């Protein structure tokens, strides 16, 4: 059985130790806090990746995501092909007054259009202003931290390998076109030089070439050398 009042004494001892220590209070907003890289602040939208599949809105337990879109007809890529229709995003808004920051919308997005941003300074005086549209979500996208580096021993992602292969093919094709153009220019210059030499050889004494220059000087020089 413990000594009566020992618990109170231990509590007072903790209080006394805390009182003698120097406090470290961050003077916000002059000193910004250092947040962990995976802080759940707000949700950023990378709308180029959004296909309006509506998975995020359907899976949201709070129904705080509002999406509007329309369909557009895309012409066929090749002659004789079939026209296709695609969804075009008109509105993407999130009501952060209802959002409980569960991250389900980010997890279920199949095209990586939603990301967590550590941004947290978005308080409003009116609760109705906490519904932020896609322009604001796009601004928050640029505050999303970069993903962690991959294991150097891991295999290269297939997307990067395909992109690098395509870039190498394009670079090789451009280099081949440049080489062919240079060869064609050299061949044209050589052909012009050969034609000029042949025309010069076929000109007789007193004849003129295409530029109207007489061949007398060469003939006179030849006659002087012979004499």
């Amino acid at each position: 059985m413990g000594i009566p009042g020992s618990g109170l004494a231990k509590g007072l001892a903790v209080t006394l130790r805390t009182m003698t220590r120097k406090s470290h209070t961050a003077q916000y907003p002059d000193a910004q806090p250092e947040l962990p890289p995976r802080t759940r602040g707000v949700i950023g939208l990378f709308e180029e990746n959004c296909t309006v599949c509506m998975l995020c809105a359907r899976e949201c337990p709070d129904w705080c995501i509002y999406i509007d879109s329309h369909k557009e007809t895309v012409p066929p890529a090749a002659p004789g092909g079939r026209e296709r229709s695609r969804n075009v995003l008109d509105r993407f808004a999130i009501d952060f007054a209802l959002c409980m920051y569960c991250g389900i919308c980010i997890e279920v997005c199949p095209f990586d259009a939603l990301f967590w941003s550590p941004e947290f300074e978005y308080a409003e005086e009116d609760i109705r202003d906490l519904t932020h549209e896609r322009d604001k979500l796009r601004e928050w996208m640029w505050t999303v931290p970069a993903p962690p580096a991959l294991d150097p021993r891991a295999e290269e992602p297939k997307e990067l390998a395909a992109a690098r292969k395509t870039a190498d093919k394009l670079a090789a094709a451009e280099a081949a076109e440049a080489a062919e153009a240079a060869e064609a220019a050299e061949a044209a210059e050589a052909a012009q030089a050969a034609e000029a030499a042949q025309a010069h050889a076929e000109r007789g004494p007193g004849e003129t070439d295409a530029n109207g220059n007489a061949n007398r000087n060469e003939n006179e020089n030849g006659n002087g050398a012979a004499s």
Side-chain angles (χ1 to χ4, degrees):
M1 185 175 180
I3 301 175
S6 61
L8 178 61
K10 291 181 180 179
L12 292 175
V14 173
T15 303
L16 291 175
R17 284 198 303 268
T18 305
M19 292 175 61
T20 57
R21 294 176 184 174
K22 184 179 179 180
S23 61
H24 298 276
T25 302
Q27 300 299 325
Y28 177 85
D30 297 332
Q32 294 290 331
E34 295 182 1
L35 301 175
R38 297 185 65 183
T39 299
R40 295 188 177 189
V42 290
I43 298 173
L45 170 66
F46 191 58
E47 60 181 274
E48 284 80 1
N49 288 352
C50 182
T51 61
V52 200
C53 64
M54 304 296 291
L55 275 177
C56 56
R58 283 197 292 261
E59 297 296 330
C60 177
D62 293 332
W63 290 85
C64 63
I65 300 178
Y66 312 111
I67 300 176
D68 293 332
S69 65
H70 69 277
K71 290 185 177 294
E72 288 185 356
T73 301
V74 180
R82 185 181 61 180
E83 293 183 348
R84 299 181 181 274
S85 62
R86 66 184 181 94
N87 293 321
V88 179
L89 184 65
D90 293 329
R91 185 195 183 200
F92 195 107
I94 299 178
D95 187 357
F96 286 96
L98 297 176
C99 179
M100 64 179 185
Y101 304 91
C102 62
I104 293 178
C105 57
I106 298 175
E107 296 295 333
V108 300
C109 180
F111 301 104
D112 292 335
L114 298 175
F115 297 87
W116 278 119
S117 166
E119 182 67 34
F120 63 94
E121 297 178 319
Y122 57 96
E124 300 289 346
E125 295 181 356
D126 192 342
I127 193 173
R128 291 171 295 185
D129 295 334
L130 285 174
T131 301
H132 294 289
E133 301 292 335
R134 64 176 183 175
D135 294 336
K136 189 65 176 179
L137 301 181
R138 178 61 178 257
E139 293 179 8
W140 285 332
M141 181 62 206
W142 308 124
T143 63
V144 174
L150 299 176
D151 189 345
R153 297 171 296 178
E155 296 182 358
E156 185 180 35
K158 295 180 180 179
E159 295 82 2
L160 292 180
R164 184 174 292 106
K165 187 176 181 180
T166 302
D168 293 341
K169 286 183 178 180
L170 292 176
E174 292 178 356
E177 291 178 359
E180 291 178 359
E183 292 178 359
E186 293 178 359
E189 292 179 359
Q192 291 178 358
E195 291 177 0
Q198 184 178 1
H200 181 73
E202 292 177 354
R203 288 200 310 269
E207 295 183 2
T208 59
D209 57 8
N211 296 327
N213 298 322
N215 199 16
R216 289 175 190 166
N217 294 334
E218 295 180 359
N219 296 331
E220 290 177 358
N221 292 336
N223 294 333
S227 62

